[in-house]
Amino acid sequence: TMRKNFGAKPFLYPQPVMILGTYDENGKANAMNAAWGGIVGANEIIVDLSAHKTTDNIIKNKAFTVGVADLEHLVACDYVGIVSANKEADKMKILAFESSCDETAVAVVEDGRRVLSDAIASQADMHALYGGVVPEIASRKHVEAIAALTDKALADAGVTKRDIDAVAVTYAPGLIGAVLVGLSFAKSVAYALGVPLIPVHHIRGHIAANYLAFPELEPPFLALCMSGGNTLLVDVRDYTDLVLVGATRDDAAGECFDKTARVLGLPYPGGKPMDELAQQSAGGVYDLPRASIEGHPLDMSFSGLKTAVVNLAHNAEQKGEPLDRAALARDFTRAVSDELVPRAMLAARTCGRKTLGAAGGVAANTILRADLMAACAREGVKLYLPPLRLCGDNGAMIGAQGYYEYLAGARADLSLNAYATRDIDDAVVAYRAQVRDIFA
Ligand code: KG4
C-alpha cells in the first residue's frame, strides 16, 4: 500500500463536515461523514468514531484520509452521511411513482439499473369503454390504486419503507390531474420517510428504460421517443444533459395510431391491435401522405396522416366500397415509419452519435422495430430497443432516471408542482441549482 502524509493544512475554516476515506482489505473504497469530529487547533482535528465500516477499515489498514465536501460533491457527501456501509454496501434504493396517463405505477429500483419491483395497475380497460383516456376518470383511478400499489411494490421488492433512500416521481408532462395524484402521494411519502424527493420528467424516464434493459448503455446516444402524447428526437449528451433536436409539430405517433385504430373499428389503445392487423397484409394499396417541415428536417407531423386515414375510411364507407383494413393498417404503419426512422438516422448523423435508443409505447411496434434494425445495420449505428414491457409507462423507468437526477443534485421540496407540458431540458436544471433536501 502506498502511504503519504499530506501534513497539516490549516484551511478548514469555517467548520466543515469532514469525510473520512478508507479502504477495506480488498481495496474497496469507503467514505463516511465524521459527524463527531471538528477542528481543535490551527493544524489539528479530532474525530470520535464508534463502530463503523470506517473504524474496521482503519484498524485493518491503519490508513485513512480526511476530506471536506465542496459544492460539486455536496450530494455524494450527504449520501455517505445518511447511508451506513454496514447496512448497505453501496446500494441506493429509490421508490418511484408514475401516474401521467392511464397507468398507475410504483417501482423500487436499485442504483438506477436494477429493478427490484415494478407494480403497475392499468386502467386501459376502463378507458376502452370511451375509446380513449378520460382524464378525470384517470385521476380518480390513480387515487384508488396508488396506496395499495405502493405496498405491493415494497412487498414485491422484499423491502420495507425504512430501506427507501429517496423518492422519485413524474412531475411532467402528462394529464395534469393524473400527474398531480402521483406527485402529491410521492411528496407525502418523501416527507413521512424523511428522504429526498426527486422530480423526474416523464420522457426522460422513457429514455432511461434503456438503462434498465441494457447495463452497458451509457450516454452519449441519440434517443427516439415515441409515446401516446409525445414524439421527440433527443440528444442524450449525459444522463441529465438532454437536448431536444426534433419533435412532432402536432399529434404524437401513438395518438395517430390510436385514432387510426378507432377509425378501423379497433379497441383502445389501438397500437397493439393495429400492429397485429398490419402484419396480415403486405400493404401497397393506399397512398398516404408523408409530411416534412421546411427548414426543420428533424421535426415531424402526424395530423395530416391521421386526417388522410379518417377521410379515406369515411369516403369508402359513404361510397359503399370495401376497405382493406389490414392493408390500410400496413400502409399507415409504413407512413409512420417513414416519418420516424429516416429522421432518427439523420438526427444521429447530425449529432455525431453512433448509438440509438428507442423509447415509449410505440417502440413496441413490430414493423417499426424491424425498420429501425435495418436502418441502423445499414448505417453502422448500434441500436437499443427496450423489451416491450419497458416501452410503455412504468415506474421502474422513473426510478432509473431518478437515480441519475439524484446524482446530478436534482431535489424538490414540497412546493413542487405538476405540469401538463414541460420541456425535456427544463425544470430539473432549475431544481439542481437549489440543491436542497426537503428537510435541509
Ligand atoms: O409510452 P406509452 O405507454 O404512454 C405514453 O406515455 O403516452 O405509449 C402509449 C402509446 C399508445 O398510443 C399506444 O397505442 C402505443 O403507445 N402503442 C403502440 C404499440 N403498442 C403501444 N403503437 C404501435 N404499435 C404497437 N405495438
Side-chain angles (χ1 to χ4, degrees):
T1 341
M2 191 198 78
R3 270 209 209 135
K4 187 166 164 56
N5 186 346
F6 294 100
K9 300 277 189 297
F11 52 42
L12 281 177
Y13 295 97
Q15 173 73 60
V17 171
M18 290 177 292
I19 311 291
L20 297 189
T22 56
Y23 289 101
D24 75 2
E25 61 275 28
N26 302 315
K28 186 170 165 163
N30 186 279
M32 101 174 245
N33 272 6
W36 295 93
I39 301 163
V40 292
N43 54 13
E44 245 181 3
I45 58 164
I46 188 166
V47 175
D48 187 359
L49 289 174
S50 57
H52 290 287
K53 184 81 186 159
T54 298
T55 336
D56 293 347
N57 288 353
I58 292 175
I59 292 165
K60 273 179 207 136
N61 286 336
K62 314 226 168 355
F64 65 95
T65 56
V66 180
V68 296
D70 59 5
L71 192 58
E72 210 180 314
H73 300 97
L74 201 65
V75 174
C77 291
D78 272 357
Y79 179 69
V80 300
I82 297 167
V83 178
S84 161
N86 281 333
K87 201 171 119 228
E88 293 286 302
D90 47 9
K91 301 281 185 268
M92 162 124 190
K93 290 187 187 65
I94 292 184
L95 180 65
F97 295 92
E98 154 64 37
S99 69
S100 67
C101 192
D102 59 347
E103 260 101 28
T104 322
V106 189
V108 179
V109 179
E110 199 170 68
D111 284 352
R113 296 275 181 165
R114 207 161 89 82
V115 182
L116 300 189
S117 68
D118 193 10
I120 299 184
S122 176
Q123 315 168 359
D125 290 352
M126 167 66 68
H127 298 291
L129 298 174
Y130 306 95
V133 179
V134 184
E136 181 55 22
I137 294 179
S139 311
R140 285 165 193 243
K141 288 277 154 196
H142 287 313
V143 172
E144 285 170 24
I146 199 161
L149 206 65
T150 304
D151 289 339
K152 179 169 162 41
L154 291 168
D156 288 354
V159 302
T160 68
K161 284 176 240 176
R162 300 226 165 275
D163 300 317
I164 298 303
D165 301 300
V167 169
V169 61
T170 299
Y171 74 97
L175 301 172
I176 188 70
V179 181
L180 265 172
V181 176
L183 182 68
S184 307
F185 194 86
K187 280 201 240 178
S188 29
V189 173
Y191 180 72
L193 299 182
V195 297
L197 176 67
I198 309 161
V200 177
H201 189 284
H202 178 72
I203 306 297
R204 287 184 179 220
H206 271 304
I207 294 171
N210 282 282
Y211 304 140
L212 298 172
F214 310 108
E216 75 281 13
L217 175 64
E218 285 177 14
F221 60 92
L222 202 286
L224 169 61
C225 315
M226 316 161 273
S227 70
N230 300 273
T231 305
L232 316 170
L233 286 162
V234 180
D235 187 25
V236 185
R237 296 181 181 178
D238 206 340
Y239 288 104
T240 56
D241 181 9
L242 294 89
V243 178
L244 183 67
V245 295
T248 179
R249 293 290 181 100
D250 38 58
D251 295 337
E255 142 93 10
C256 200
F257 263 101
D258 293 339
K259 291 288 148 57
T260 301
R262 189 147 94 180
V263 170
L264 294 180
L266 298 169
Y268 171 86
K272 193 155 184 287
M274 280 285 281
D275 194 342
E276 284 157 9
L277 188 61
Q279 288 177 64
Q280 294 166 24
S281 167
V285 176
Y286 298 101
D287 193 17
L288 297 170
R290 270 73 168 157
S292 62
I293 292 141
E294 212 182 316
H296 299 274
L298 294 178
D299 281 352
M300 296 156 270
S301 165
F302 291 96
S303 67
L305 175 61
K306 184 176 82 179
T307 309
V309 176
V310 171
N311 288 343
L312 204 146
H314 285 170
N315 283 342
E317 195 186 343
Q318 278 164 4
K319 291 183 192 155
E321 288 169 359
L323 197 65
D324 185 344
R325 292 166 67 252
L328 186 52
R330 181 83 192 202
D331 289 334
F332 165 82
T333 308
R334 174 123 322 280
V336 173
S337 174
D338 285 349
E339 287 282 328
L340 293 169
V341 178
R343 281 191 177 84
M345 303 319 291
L346 176 61
R349 278 198 301 276
T350 309
C351 299
R353 303 294 174 224
K354 280 292 179 194
T355 308
L356 178 68
V362 181
N365 187 269
T366 313
I367 292 167
L368 206 58
R369 289 171 90 90
D371 290 353
L372 279 171
M373 277 187 238
C376 286
R378 226 173 17 243
E379 300 203 20
V381 169
K382 174 113 183 72
L383 175 65
Y384 288 97
L385 280 171
L388 306 193
R389 182 179 52 78
L390 287 171
C391 287
D393 289 348
N394 62 83
M397 67 187 202
I398 302 302
Q401 183 62 25
Y403 176 71
Y404 293 105
E405 299 290 349
Y406 177 88
L407 294 184
R411 299 287 187 285
D413 60 25
L414 298 179
S415 67
L416 177 65
N417 206 351
Y419 300 89
T421 58
R422 206 75 176 176
D423 289 345
I424 198 157
D425 52 2
D426 190 60
V428 180
V429 177
Y431 282 112
R432 191 179 309 160
Q434 293 179 14
V435 191
R436 61 188 163 117
D437 287 2
I438 54 176
F439 282 94

